Structures are given as C-alpha cells and as structure tokens.
Amino acid sequence: MWGFSFQRRFLHSSLCLMKKLNKSKTPAEQRWLQRQLKDPYVKASHKQNFRCRSAFKLLEIDDKFRLLQPGCSVVDCGAAPGAWSQVAVHRVNSAGTDPAAPPGTVVGIDLLHIPPLDGAYFLSCHDVTIPPTHAKLLELLPGGQAHVILSDMAPNASGFREMDHVKLVTMCFSLLDLAEKILLPGGSLLCKYSDGILAHELQEKLSRVFNSVQTLKPKASRKDSAERYFLARIYKKPEK
C-alpha cells in the first residue's frame, strides 16, 4: 500500500521486544510483550509502515462506510502517535500524492507530542476540549470547517474500569461542543467509547444532532477490550 517493504524493520522491532521480554521485571510486562509479539495487527503495522496497530480499525471502518474521501477536511482527536492521521492523509489526498484527485486537509491534536507527518498539521501538546485549541483549528481548516471528526482518544488507565469509562465518555461529550463549532452539516463523527453507565446517554446525545448513530467493534479491536466506536453520520447543527 505504501510502496515499501518493512520486513527488516519488523524483524528488528521483534528482536527488541524479545530482549525487553527477557529483561521485564513484572508478569504484567511479560504478558503485554508476549501479546505484542503474537498480535497479527502489530506485525502488519510494521510491514505497512503504520505507526501503530490502531490504523487497521480506521481502515476497516472506512472501507465499509467511506467516510474519508479525496478533498475532505478531517480532524483527528487524540492523534498520537499518528496512525489514524496516516490513514486519513492517504484517503483524503492531503499530501497531494494523487494529482488527479482534490487535496484534502488533516489536522491532528493530542496532549502528547505527535511526530511530523507529510500531509498533516499537528497540534501537539494541545487540549482538544478547550476554546484556544478550537480557535487554532478554525485557522487551519479550510473555511474553518471539517467534513469528519475522528476520535481515538482515551484517558490514562487508572485501573478502575468505571472511572476510566466516565473519563472517556466525558471526552466524547466534549466532541459535541467541537462539532457545533467546526463540523459541516452532513458531516460525520467517529468516536471511541467503552461500555458503561454513560454509554446510552452519549448515544442519545449523538442521536439528537446526527441522523444515524451506529455502534461498531472493528475486528482489530482486541476481543478482551471494552472499547467500542460510535459512528454518527449526517450532522444537523443544533438550533440556537
């Protein structure tokens, strides 16, 4: 897909993981590294030069629903390390690699540093929930508007599942405020959430401003993960 072979780099990465596995001090670290070595999506991400395995979740969703079209403007929330932005750049042609297709725009935001990517603007160390970040988005997006908002955001795990659920869904609620400022009528929002007491409330709020809201669990999501995605399509700006 990306025109290069990365088998050598994957072998190097695997060897590094094996070395780390041998030096791990805790059973939890060993279990995590063993899972990484066996994960087919981790292997595929190395071979196809994706920054992490999460790229395959977005690829699967977009292959089915065609959210990312050439010429579209996309905001990627919680973008680090940049795998979803890689997919978006390719699909909306924001790097201009296809001269026959209109060029799109990709803007990624994260509290963490995001390594540079050709075809994307990154707002590293920015909080997507606050007005100053919204103001920068309005400057970067053509006409100050986006066709698609993507969110793979997640809070740092606390070890308390219900607490993490509340934090994650609260992040999703903030995306509705962002959508009101930048999302074009007819636009789409894809956001990660987890099962829990607030999931139904989030779905109801999305249903008020989108014509269609679907729950998705991509094949690339780990089976033991509580994560799900809401795909909300055909945005209707709320009346003031």
Side-chain angles (χ1 to χ4, degrees), residues 3-172:
F4 296 90
S5 172
F6 293 91
Q7 293 179 346
R8 182 177 297 177
R9 195 183 76 168
F10 171 65
L11 178 60
H12 172 74
S13 300
S14 298
L15 289 172
C16 289
L17 279 172
M18 291 175 69
K19 288 178 182 177
K20 288 179 181 179
L21 180 62
N22 293 330
K23 295 178 181 179
S24 293
K25 296 180 181 179
T26 69
E29 288 177 321
Q30 293 180 8
R31 286 194 299 271
W32 182 85
L33 288 168
Q34 285 280 14
R35 185 174 69 173
Q36 291 295 98
L37 286 168
K38 294 177 181 178
D39 190 323
Y41 292 104
V42 172
K43 295 176 182 179
S45 67
H46 286 293
K47 290 180 180 178
Q48 298 185 40
N49 197 31
F50 286 123
R51 295 182 178 184
C52 63
R53 69 187 301 285
S54 65
F56 294 98
K57 303 173 191 177
L58 182 56
L59 284 168
E60 180 185 336
I61 292 169
D62 192 52
D63 283 345
K64 184 173 182 179
F65 296 101
R66 302 295 180 185
L67 304 173
L68 306 173
Q69 298 292 326
C72 283
S73 296
V74 179
V75 174
D76 181 10
C77 304
W84 276 29
S85 290
Q86 284 181 290
V87 174
V89 163
H90 179 71
R91 297 270 166 118
V92 306
N93 193 40
S94 61
T97 52
D98 183 357
T105 301
V106 175
V107 183
I109 311 162
D110 205 294
L111 290 171
L112 303 175
H113 173 71
I114 317 168
L117 173 66
D118 187 30
Y121 301 101
F122 285 146
L123 298 175
S124 295
C125 307
H126 280 70
D127 184 348
V128 72
T129 67
I130 61 175
T133 301
H134 297 172
K136 289 188 177 182
L137 275 175
L138 291 170
E139 293 175 4
L140 290 170
L141 293 167
Q145 295 183 302
H147 297 87
V148 181
I149 296 175
L150 304 173
S151 175
D152 202 31
M153 292 191 295
N156 292 329
S158 68
F160 297 95
R161 184 165 179 168
E162 199 57 43
M163 183 185 297
D164 292 340
H165 160 75
V166 171
K167 288 180 179 179
L168 177 54
V169 173
T170 300
M171 289 178 174
C172 294

Side-chain angles (χ1 to χ4, degrees), residues 148-240:
V148 181
I149 296 175
L150 304 173
S151 175
D152 202 31
M153 292 191 295
N156 292 329
S158 68
F160 297 95
R161 184 165 179 168
E162 199 57 43
M163 183 185 297
D164 292 340
H165 160 75
V166 171
K167 288 180 179 179
L168 177 54
V169 173
T170 300
M171 289 178 174
C172 294
F173 285 146
S174 74
L175 296 175
L176 289 167
D177 296 329
L178 178 63
E180 190 170 350
K181 293 180 180 179
I182 68 167
L183 192 60
L184 283 162
S188 300
L189 167 64
L190 176 66
C191 63
K192 177 162 69 179
Y193 75 99
S194 60
D195 283 336
I197 57 173
L198 293 179
H200 184 65
E201 182 182 348
L202 174 59
Q203 186 172 19
E204 284 188 336
K205 287 192 174 186
L206 288 169
S207 296
R208 290 173 197 161
V209 290
F210 289 90
N211 281 355
S212 169
V213 179
Q214 295 173 259
T215 300
L216 307 175
K217 175 84 169 178
K219 293 177 182 177
S221 289
R222 291 190 169 101
K223 292 181 180 179
D224 60 352
S225 171
E227 75 174 18
R228 303 284 188 278
Y229 291 85
F230 277 131
L231 172 57
R233 292 184 291 170
I234 313 176
Y235 181 60
K236 308 170 290 185
K237 279 200 179 285
E239 294 182 6
K240 303 231 176 175

